[in-house]
Amino acid sequence: MHRTAAAPHVLAVPVLALGVFGIITTEMGVVGVLPALAERLHVAPATAGWLVGSFALTVAVTGPVGVLIASRLRRKTVLATALAVFAASNALYALSDCFPLVLALRILPALFHPVFFALALTAATRLAPPAKAARAATTVFAGVSAGFAFGVPLTSYLADHFHLPVAFWSAAALNLLACAGVLAFFPDLPDTERPTYGGQLGILRRGRLWLSVAAVTLVFAAMFCGYGYIAEYLQNVTGLDTSLTGPALMAFGVVMTAGNPVFGRLLERAPVRTVTAYPLLYLALYLLLDAAGPHPGPMLATVLIWGAVHSGGLAVTQAWLARDATDAPEFGNSLFISFSNLGITLGTTVGGTLVTTTGPRHLPLAGAALAAAALTAVLLRRRLDRNPDQTQTQTQQDRPDQPHPTPTP
């Protein structure tokens, strides 16, 4: 796939980030209003929890297939359609009090979630000059951070201070605004050659790709082993008052949003070193968390460091996997989305088991172990780059009609 020669509209990438913000607000906003939603739908809170789990599971399972199908369609149409589906789903959430219908309406946009992300990431890097492709990707990822930092609390605030449907109508308006932005500002990106399904699936035969996939999965498992239970840790280990937990999480999200551009610049200057350093950073962070956990002052300071480190996970792992999918970037991004969600599931399962059996005190040590495993996967993948003959041979076997660039050292 070739980078477009036309100068992109200056608002195209920010519009994609706005779309990501709207999608994350839709996906995760229900977390903050789950008790009120359960009451409205006349189900138990545990049953309402399926509205979160079904979404993530659908994304993980259907992502590659959906992106594969969408890869041969007009990008602008697919992006706008995905946002329109999210807008319509939110509007129907606001109108319905039937749990089976709302559950179905959670699964429907989840089918479009990985499609939008994969195409948006690929489009952002194509729209940017080659030297700033990583920064364009982090701009899109800033929509994720902003969704967690502002979208989720905003949904909760609107539901608490006005009415639950107001929160959903607001999310619908946000997605509709992003849809209009895509239609107005996103340029057409015609492919010089249409990708074939077989050519895209061919990257699955590469052993090095699966090492990158393993690294992505383990990095996300490490990230969410602790982050998934951050409120539990702050309240039961640090002893933080519940009234301070919300502001602490907000501060985490704000720092996370601000940290995205930093990792974008690091990836531009030294991508392989940045990826290698990232699990090391998380390993050191978890050791610091383990030491600071019982002490409120140091722990609150560590939360800010945590947010800064956490901010790089999306961009770093996406850039790492993208190196092994340059000839099928959108399908590669779909693998990233699916396996990052699998990593989230793995991390939250490990953390949840630990919290249930022994309590949250040792969550940082479990996260540190997962970060060490992620580092191992990165180092194993780097070893293949030190043997260019082996990498070149494997690639030519995968696609004998295509030359392959020299591996990054």
Side-chain angles (χ1 to χ4, degrees):
M1 189 172 289
H2 303 283
R3 194 178 303 276
T4 181
H9 195 287
V10 68
L11 292 178
V13 174
V15 160
L16 294 176
L18 178 64
V20 169
F21 174 68
I23 286 175
I24 291 297
T25 299
T26 300
E27 178 187 4
M28 303 305 300
V30 298
V31 173
V33 297
L34 208 56
L37 191 55
E39 183 178 353
R40 176 182 172 85
L41 299 176
H42 313 293
V43 295
T47 303
W50 278 101
L51 298 174
V52 180
S54 63
F55 194 106
L57 184 61
T58 302
V59 170
V61 171
T62 68
V65 175
V67 173
L68 196 65
I69 294 171
S71 66
R72 294 178 62 84
L73 303 176
R74 185 171 176 248
R75 304 296 187 268
K76 185 172 185 174
T77 301
V78 174
L79 292 168
T81 300
L83 290 167
V85 168
F86 270 84
S89 296
N90 274 292
L92 291 170
Y93 299 159
L95 295 171
S96 178
D97 59 1
C98 173
F99 177 74
L101 177 60
V102 173
L103 181 62
L105 292 170
R106 290 289 289 174
I107 293 173
L108 177 61
L111 296 172
F112 287 86
H113 176 287
V115 173
F116 185 91
F117 266 77
L119 269 61
L121 283 171
T122 304
T125 55
R126 289 185 64 197
L127 288 167
K132 296 184 178 180
R135 192 176 305 184
T138 57
T139 299
V140 174
F141 283 132
V144 178
S145 304
F148 280 99
F150 306 111
V152 175
L154 178 62
T155 301
S156 180
Y157 177 86
L158 291 173
D160 290 342
H161 291 79
F162 296 95
H163 195 47
L164 184 59
V166 173
F168 292 132
W169 282 118
S170 299
L174 179 62
N175 284 289
L176 198 59
L177 177 63
C179 179
V182 167
L183 292 173
F185 302 118
F186 188 82
D188 282 314
L189 295 174
D191 291 318
T192 55
E193 55 182 278
R194 296 178 70 84
T196 64
Y197 296 142
Q200 294 178 85
L201 289 170
I203 69 174
L204 298 177
R205 296 196 298 267
R206 301 172 186 170
R208 63 185 184 278
L209 173 77
W210 290 105
L211 283 174
S212 296
V213 164
V216 168
T217 305
L218 290 167
V219 165
F220 272 84
M223 290 167 62
F224 281 84
C225 179
Y227 176 73
Y229 302 93
I230 182 172
E232 181 85 10
Y233 192 83
L234 289 173
Q235 291 172 16
N236 293 292
V237 176
T238 308
L240 200 66
D241 189 86
T242 54
S243 64
L244 296 177
T245 302
L249 295 179
M250 179 71 78
F252 180 102
V254 170
V255 174
M256 182 179 168
T257 302
N260 271 288
V262 176
F263 279 96
R265 294 187 184 93
L266 290 173
L267 286 167
E268 288 172 4
R269 296 173 184 172
V272 176
R273 291 180 182 177
T274 301
V275 173
T276 307
Y278 189 76
L280 274 174
L281 276 175
Y282 235 106
L283 178 59
L285 169 70
Y286 273 132
L287 295 178
L288 179 61
L289 282 170
D290 187 60
H295 311 289
M299 183 60 197
L300 288 176
T302 306
V303 164
L304 300 180
I305 300 172
W306 192 353
V309 174
H310 196 83
S311 69
L314 289 163
V316 166
T317 52
Q318 187 273 337
W320 188 239
L321 183 54
R323 295 169 73 247
D324 291 322
T326 54
D327 45 354
E330 287 161 353
F331 185 62
N333 282 333
S334 74
L335 295 175
F336 164 73
I337 294 162
S338 288
F339 282 93
S340 61
N341 274 273
L342 181 63
I344 291 171
T345 302
L346 173 61
T348 53
T349 300
V350 170
T353 301
L354 196 62
V355 168
T356 301
T357 55
T358 65
R361 178 65 184 94
H362 298 299
L363 277 173
L365 297 181
L370 289 167
L375 176 62
T376 301
V378 170
L379 293 176
L380 287 173
R381 172 64 187 87
R382 285 192 63 176
R383 285 189 64 184
L384 295 181
D385 287 339
R386 293 171 186 166
N387 188 349
D389 292 335
Q390 176 184 344
T391 305
Q392 178 93 3
T393 300
Q394 183 178 359
T395 303
Q396 294 298 335
Q397 289 173 349
D398 292 339
R399 300 190 64 179
D401 58 325
Q402 296 289 334
H404 189 70
T406 303
T408 304

